Amino acid sequence: MPAEYNFALPSLFASEANFAPIEKLNGTNIDTLVCAFDDTTEEYRNGSFTVPGDIDTSGTVTFRAYVRNKTAATSNNVALTFGHLALNDAETADAAYTDEDSGDQAITDANTTVDEITWTETVTNLGWAANNMINFRISRDPAATSNLAGDMYWYTFTIEIPVA
């Protein structure tokens, strides 16, 4: 079983100049909070976690997002980015992020359907080691082909890390 880190998007920090605002969705049965990511400007949400001490460095990390469009649209591709900085003892906290991109992903054209987007990367390529602190930011890349017009609502983000 991998170690899982689950983040509700509204619980992540808005520490970038361009951040995705929180919106409340009022449903017939359920009200929920999401973050609304713009289609023309890259907006961010930030967080951090610690890599498990028993990470399987030969394994693969899975990134999982639950999203939907704000309004129904026929052009419905989105691209998500996970930017990360792995830090260990005595390393600089002001280095550049390394981005891991989902690539263009089609989501349902109805604005009432939640879609799951997943992508993966090997631990080796990420450069993560046991007990690293990972600072990260997530975003919607506005350069997707057949880009979804208008906001994309992002509910949750999960990182699954392989352990030995």
Side-chain angles (χ1 to χ4, degrees):
M1 294 287 288
E4 285 191 7
Y5 295 89
N6 298 296
F7 303 95
L9 264 286
S11 72
L12 294 176
F13 307 115
S15 55
E16 304 277 337
N18 290 331
F19 62 89
I22 296 172
E23 289 192 19
K24 181 180 178 191
L25 303 182
N26 297 309
T28 303
N29 299 300
I30 297 174
D31 295 341
T32 190
L33 296 176
V34 297
C35 288
F37 286 78
D38 191 63
D39 63 335
T40 59
T41 302
E42 193 165 17
E43 297 174 323
Y44 303 92
R45 281 286 168 162
N46 302 74
S48 64
F49 64 91
T50 302
V51 173
D54 59 347
I55 186 172
D56 177 358
T57 56
S58 65
T60 300
V61 173
T62 299
F63 305 102
R64 177 171 286 109
Y66 285 92
V67 303
R68 76 168 229 220
N69 51 351
K70 182 174 181 174
T71 56
T74 55
S75 293
N76 57 352
N77 281 347
V78 296
L80 308 180
T81 300
F82 172 78
H84 62 97
L85 173 61
L87 298 169
N88 208 332
D89 188 38
E91 292 182 341
T92 181
D94 194 25
Y97 287 105
T98 299
D99 289 340
E100 304 299 330
D101 299 316
S102 70
D104 291 358
Q105 303 287 322
I107 63 174
T108 309
D109 58 358
N111 65 327
T112 57
T113 303
V114 175
D115 290 291
E116 176 186 317
I117 295 174
T118 61
W119 69 103
T120 61
E121 184 57 86
T122 64
V123 174
T124 302
N125 285 344
L126 291 168
W128 296 356
N131 302 313
N132 278 166
M133 180 182 79
I134 306 297
N135 286 335
F136 71 89
R137 68 182 184 182
I138 54 176
S139 64
R140 173 187 176 189
D141 182 351
T145 303
S146 299
N147 191 21
L148 169 71
D151 286 349
M152 177 198 76
Y153 288 149
W154 196 335
Y155 290 80
T156 63
F157 183 63
T158 302
I159 303 167
E160 297 175 4
I161 301 175
V163 294

